């Protein structure tokens, strides 16, 4: 596997449909929205490329686009783990309930401070991190950044952070 | 100037005093708090190292530690520019008023979406970016990350983003 150079995506993204990217075989979508490339389609392509594991560690997860992507990855048999914030999890729009009903493992902090990270690890090799909460306002409204990075040391540090939080938030 | 490898800081940081780092000559602080190294002292050292310019683009700026650092950089004659979010700027604790009274240029978005970036550029060469809002809760309470990166392409993209927002938010 060749290491890619670091890359940055800036948001807001134009409102486009990314549903065709989630299909296991190429399909045509007749929804009427634009299907052109955008920061959102880049992010979606990256997440859906997971083959072995997808570890998501995000303060907010309410975006239908990104939660559909996570569900599609899980549906392909990839191991998906989600860490999120307890305070925001309870709010309307959070997709945590949908994840759990689909059988995805979700853990969360237990205190009033925020689990404020916004990163994901694809196959433990590619890090996606930045300011972007996984919400419609984040994707389509705010000024946001996401960095895609495969630097070994940085990825290793985030893999360790994920593992540590995963254990810390074990409800058992 | 040698390019440093990328580095990551995780928060929360222990409560320590970083005041000695802001003095132009080495001094001893008798405040009673610990003065040991931490993620906050690393971040402070980096910001205070600015020699030509410090461009700050953060959703929230209420941390007394980080705002004192920005004021100290300005006080040394370095050009400091700050971009922030209009909604949070109005809240108690924002240091934007202090910055403006000190003569630091501050600009902000004009709409209800968030200027949600949390990055700074030191001398246009080093990027500090991540999930961390510049607030006490962010630094001392939350799970947060900050990446320090000198990758030329990534830094260039953030320099351009800063310049574009700086022009877009010109009140003139
Ligand atoms: Zn469509
Ligand atoms: Zn002290």
């Amino acid at each position: 596997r060749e290491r890619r150079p670091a890359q940055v995506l800036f948001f807001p993204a134009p409102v486009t449909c990314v549903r065709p990217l989630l299909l296991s075989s190429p399909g045509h979508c007749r929804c009427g929205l634009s299907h052109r490339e955008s920061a959102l389609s880049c992010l979606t392509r990256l997440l859906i490329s997971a083959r072995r594991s997808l570890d998501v560690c995000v303060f907010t997860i309410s975006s239908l686009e990104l939660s559909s992507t996570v569900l599609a990855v899980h549906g392909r048999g990839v191991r998906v783990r989600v860490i999120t914030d307890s305070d925001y999890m309870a709010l309307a729009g959070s997709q945590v309930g949908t994840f759990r009903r689909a059988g995805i493992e979700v853990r969360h902090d237990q205190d009033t401070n925020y689990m404020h990270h916004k990163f994901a690890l694809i196959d433990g090799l590619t890090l996606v991190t930045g300011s972007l909460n996984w919400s419609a306002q984040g994707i389509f409204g705010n000024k946001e950044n996401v960095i895609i990075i495969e630097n070994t040391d940085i990825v290793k540090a985030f893999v360790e952070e994920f593992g540590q939080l995963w254990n810390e938030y074990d409800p058992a």
Side-chain angles (χ1 to χ4, degrees), chain A:
Chain A
R1 183 191 166 101
E2 212 167 290
R3 297 263 151 190
R4 277 183 298 191
Q7 188 191 339
V8 57
L9 305 174
F10 288 111
F11 293 81
V15 176
T16 59
C17 166
V18 293
R19 221 172 311 160
L21 304 179
L22 307 185
L23 304 173
S24 41
S25 52
H28 192 67
C29 183
R30 300 178 174 281
C31 75
L33 282 175
S34 163
H35 296 88
R36 72 177 186 279
E37 293 300 324
S38 68
L40 174 60
S41 71
C42 288
L43 182 53
T44 305
R45 276 181 201 286
L46 193 68
L47 297 173
I48 201 78
S49 75
R51 288 295 167 263
R52 297 187 301 106
S53 65
L54 176 62
D55 291 330
V56 175
C57 186
V58 290
F59 180 52
T60 313
I61 167 106
S62 56
S63 155
L64 289 180
E65 287 81 4
L66 294 181
S67 58
S68 299
T69 305
V70 170
L71 288 164
V73 171
H74 172 71
R76 290 174 181 194
V78 173
R79 186 186 184 192
V80 176
R81 296 185 293 177
V82 176
I83 294 175
T84 192
D85 184 74
S86 56
D87 305 279
Y88 270 66
M89 204 175 75
L91 295 190
S94 170
Q95 296 300 307
V96 164
T98 313
F99 286 174
R100 286 188 161 147
R101 282 189 295 277
I104 294 175
E105 298 171 272
V106 182
R107 295 185 181 177
H108 56 82
D109 67 323
Q110 325 272 351
D111 60 32
T112 55
N113 284 315
Y114 291 145
M115 200 312 294
H116 202 244
H117 288 305
K118 305 107 172 30
F119 72 84
L121 290 154
I122 294 106
D123 295 332
L125 295 170
T126 307
L127 169 68
V128 180
T129 189
S131 65
L132 181 76
N133 290 315
W134 289 21
S135 66
Q137 189 187 353
I139 296 167
F140 300 123
N142 296 347
K143 307 292 188 190
E144 305 272 10
N145 66 78
V146 164
I147 291 180
I148 301 157
I149 194 166
E150 299 196 343
N151 174 298
T152 320
D153 293 334
I154 298 287
V155 170
K156 184 163 171 280
F158 279 84
V159 165
E160 286 173 5
E161 176 77 355
F162 189 95
Q164 198 173 305
L165 296 181
W166 189 253
N167 293 334
E168 184 179 334
Y169 299 156
D170 186 349

